[in-house]
Amino acid sequence: MFQTFDSAGDPAVGKPRVALLRQWLAANGLDGFIVPRADEHQGEYVADRSARLKWLTGFSGSAGIAIVLGERASMFVDGRYTLQVRQEVDLDIFAIESLVDNPPAIWIKDNLGKGLRLGFDPWLQTIGDVKALKASAEKSGVVLVPLEKNPIDAIWKDQPEPPLAPVEIHPIGFAGELGRDKLVQLASAIGKDGATHAVLTDPSSIAWAFDIRGGDVPHTPLALGFAVLAADGKHQLFMDQRKFSRTVAAYLTQLADLHEPGEFEAAVAALAKGGARIALDPVLAAEKLRMLVEDNGGTVIAAPDPARIPRATKNQAEISGARAAHRRDGAAIARLLCWLDRQKPGKLDEIAVVTKLEEWRRSTGEETQMPLRDLSFDTISGAGPNGAIMHYRVSRATNRKLKSGELFLLDSGGQYQDGTTDITRTVPIGQPTEEMRERFTLVLKGMIGISMLRFPPGTRGSEIDAVARMALWRHGCDFAHGTGHGVGSYLAVHEGPQRIARTGTEKLLAGMILSNEPGYYKEGAYGIRIENLVLVTPAEAIEGGDIAMHGFETLTLAPIDVRLVRSDLLTRDELHWLDQYHARVLAEIGPMLDGETLAWLEKATAPLPHDAKI
């Protein structure tokens, strides 16, 4: 099993460990310390060694920050984790704050007094983070203190060792472009930014640029390390070489000079002393790198990671791989949903469904000679009120039966060598209520709205996010997460910079893959989310129109449960889209199924009665 079911977080760890941290702070002349859920690479997943926030507080979510002071402490989370955080941290120790409405940069100004010394690890805070923190600290007189050593590492006596998963070469048939050709393009981009060098801190960018994959963090095939790319083509890669086979080492030696991670700081400092102009992404690069460059006489060029947009705009090989991965994954989902339909309410629990789905993904991959490499994230298997916890992670302690009259939310994904998948389906267990059917249909209208959308070149995700919410808004409802995130090609399931959200400032370009996942969550009762992945298509002329328009191709192929659909709330266009989508699902994954499952799929994808008036 790729997924384990140990308790996600334990509130009991907080009290003794916070006490140890406070002792260390007092002994070192500090009044407080900032603990982000981050490593040196700012990835969504961190190695066990870097799970400092979870170790200290018990919180297991993928985004959060704690600020620990001598007499009080606060935990900052976003809307995805407002329920989860209260289950996983000791509320006698931590006050809960909004990471969105009252982030640390604002909280510090309003809550901390003049002269207070607040420590932070400059390897775990980005340049942009620290700039905002400094602006806030200056207004209140707080002194921000960058530390050479992280105090959590000093008090965490059984801290795991750094990961050493083997690195493998990503085949050209899936990558679609040779690493050496990508590096030539990146070197050119660095020069255009006015820099002599650029530091890649994001392992996804390194994996893409060098055509390699690894296994240093859960669910994302990444090898942790850093790269210094040069406009003159003299690139350097800093990675533990115990991860390399002879073949991998020989391959990488053709692309860059290879160094151990311990040489990275000295190499950056040496470039700076030589007058280098080094590009750092303020959103991704650690404050420590800015300090290293500027303290040694170099110049920092604030510029986006040069690999992010090329990585996000998939080439034809990656697009073909994504389509194949979604057909395979859709067949596994259909098998799971057919099996689930045959079970009596109250028989199954959340863990049983997760286990069965992984079995179907494995067997379907073996049948098609494209094995499941990993899950793309821990499956969210939420029955009844657990479905209302947006990023719920089932454990043996929280495991719940799928009971009659409730909804069951299943959000899952797979990592295959040809693509990364992410899909959510919500199904009724027994007879749903009319409220459930209405809210489901409102969510579906938003998902279809995004699916059918045409938009001009230059459109940003923030400009279309409301399309997914309009039906819910008309009924006084909303959801507290973005509509869509970017997805990598056998890389991170949550990939930037593209997203459909209020904060989605990046232009949507042809070849980008995003999720389309509006939802509705009724605390203590149920959750609804419907998610497909979509591909931005090239802008094409519309007959009679003036401007070529982009659109979305839906990649995900699995039936949407029509038992929850009120067709009278859908327009004719929406009903037509749903029928056409289901016809395509049957046509594309039906040949991979047989017997009872194929019969079930034919019924699940049958056209709905057209009750729409418009």
Side-chain angles (χ1 to χ4, degrees), residues 77 98-103 106:
V77 297
S98 170
L99 192 55
V100 176
D101 299 330
N102 191 30
I106 294 175

Side-chain angles (χ1 to χ4, degrees), residues 475-512:
H475 287 74
C477 303
D478 201 358
F479 52 95
H481 58 75
T483 297
H485 55 81
V487 179
S489 180
Y490 188 41
L491 282 172
V493 73
H494 296 130
E495 174 185 81
Q498 72 275 28
R499 58 189 317 214
I500 303 171
R502 294 179 176 96
T503 54
T505 58
E506 196 65 45
K507 294 177 182 177
L508 301 180
L509 304 175
M512 288 180 168

